[in-house]
Amino acid sequence: MVGDRRGFEIIQKALAEGRNFLMEDEAKALCKAYNIPTTEAKVAKSEDEAVKYAREIGYPVVLKVVSPDIIHKSDVGGVILNIDNDEKVKEAYSKIISNVKRHKPDAKIVGVIVQEMAQPSTEVIVGLIKDQQFGSTVMFGLGGVFVEILKDVSFRVCPITELDAKEMISEIKGYPILKGYRNLPPADIDAIVKILLNVSDMAMNHPEISEMDLNPILVYEKGAKVVDARVILAKS
Ligand code: ADP
Ligand code: MG
């Protein structure tokens, strides 16, 4: 399987560099290898390169720090959204570097990732954890407070079936929000089902993945897009 081989390469590269996690660009490349849609993204090493990539991707864009030492990027001022011209890309680039240097002076900065700004929409989360007893387990929930405060999430042990995926989505308390609520259009449930199945596939093929967070995934009336991805590795 192609996803299998490409995924193996991405994971082995990180492990060979002595890292126990994938940076956002690598985690998104892993998603791509499993047909999980993500925002188009490129890692820039200079302001000029960031402008070049922003033009290629098309405005508006998002810039974020890429660092093996930073897991929660917005906590260190490492995420700037909705940038709409060349000048602002340059400003955002240097702002991110200075924010990160101030909050976490020892962090190694690999570069700044430039990515398309996805249209705001309903946010969901798909996660993967390794249960001591049951092994790889996939998690689903709505984004933000629904997961963090209300713990409104569902779990299934991998590998999951299509029926499992559908049940995971419909059994959370927030399901009516996905079905369409007031002026919120219904979310593309099939797109979420596909992501859950592909994440399960990924977990079965790569036992080195000890934790994964696709947080958030923006879900639209048609389609869905992962805008942030984090993967923790363990030597298996
Ligand atoms: P963190 O490492 O802090 O979790 P994220 O990459 O998740 O950083 O960015 C923080 C928030 O910014 C996300 O939860 C999402 O709401 C928004 N965001 C991030 N990337 C994008 C993007 N490409 N398009 C639209 N919104 C984004
Ligand atoms: Mg995030």
Side-chain angles (χ1 to χ4, degrees):
M1 243 174 79
V2 177
D4 197 359
R5 201 180 60 230
R6 177 82 185 107
F8 185 80
E9 282 169 10
I10 295 165
I11 290 168
Q12 286 311 312
K13 178 173 174 283
L15 290 174
E17 289 173 9
R19 275 187 282 135
N20 76 332
F21 73 95
L22 300 183
M23 287 178 284
E24 186 178 334
D25 58 312
E26 299 167 325
K28 282 183 172 167
L30 181 61
C31 286
K32 247 193 190 155
Y34 282 87
N35 288 322
I36 298 166
T38 70
T39 45
E40 200 192 330
K42 283 181 172 160
V43 178
K45 310 269 189 183
S46 69
E47 287 182 14
D48 288 337
E49 209 177 10
V51 168
K52 180 172 158 257
Y53 292 154
R55 286 185 180 175
E56 281 172 18
I57 290 166
Y59 287 109
V61 294
V62 174
L63 263 60
K64 304 182 200 176
V65 65
V66 179
S67 165
D69 305 313
I70 296 168
I71 285 186
H72 299 291
K73 300 173 291 286
S74 31
D75 291 355
V76 295
V79 178
I80 299 181
L81 303 174
N82 214 5
I83 304 161
D84 59 12
N85 64 48
D86 293 2
E87 214 40 56
K88 287 187 191 157
V89 169
K90 288 185 186 178
E91 276 167 31
Y93 188 100
S94 67
K95 184 100 207 288
I96 285 174
I97 304 287
S98 68
N99 285 346
V100 171
K101 284 197 168 141
R102 193 171 64 245
H103 285 99
K104 212 161 188 291
D106 302 334
K108 177 175 182 272
I109 299 173
V110 172
V112 171
I113 192 168
V114 183
Q115 56 192 256
E116 69 177 292
M117 169 83 195
Q119 286 291 321
S121 191
T122 307
E123 297 193 352
V124 302
I125 296 177
V126 171
L128 206 52
I129 53 157
K130 241 187 198 160
D131 183 86
Q132 282 208 332
Q133 227 171 338
F134 299 110
S136 295
T137 304
V138 59
M139 185 209 85
F140 173 74
L142 289 172
V145 294
F146 291 99
V147 166
E148 282 154 26
I149 298 169
L150 303 174
K151 315 279 185 229
D152 182 18
V153 291
S154 55
F155 293 94
R156 287 293 184 285
V157 174
C158 299
I160 62 167
T161 63
E162 192 172 333
L163 182 63
D164 289 327
K166 286 182 172 158
E167 284 175 355
M168 285 181 79
I169 298 165
S170 60
E171 75 189 32
I172 60 165
K173 292 196 190 69
Y175 181 55
I177 294 175
L178 294 174
K179 295 257 290 174
Y181 170 75
R182 294 204 174 157
N183 48 6
L184 266 182
D188 188 341
I189 306 280
D190 285 344
I192 309 174
V193 168
K194 284 203 182 96
I195 292 175
L196 288 166
L197 289 169
N198 289 335
V199 164
S200 168
D201 257 5
M202 188 196 287
M204 298 312 290
N205 284 342
H206 306 290
E208 305 87 356
I209 300 176
S210 69
E211 227 182 286
M212 181 165 79
D213 252 318
L214 305 180
N215 178 10
I217 302 170
L218 296 178
V219 191
Y220 302 99
E221 271 187 274
K222 196 107 198 67
K225 222 167 228 188
V226 173
V227 306
D228 184 26
R230 186 173 75 100
V231 174
I232 310 279
L233 303 170
K235 289 199 179 80
S236 63

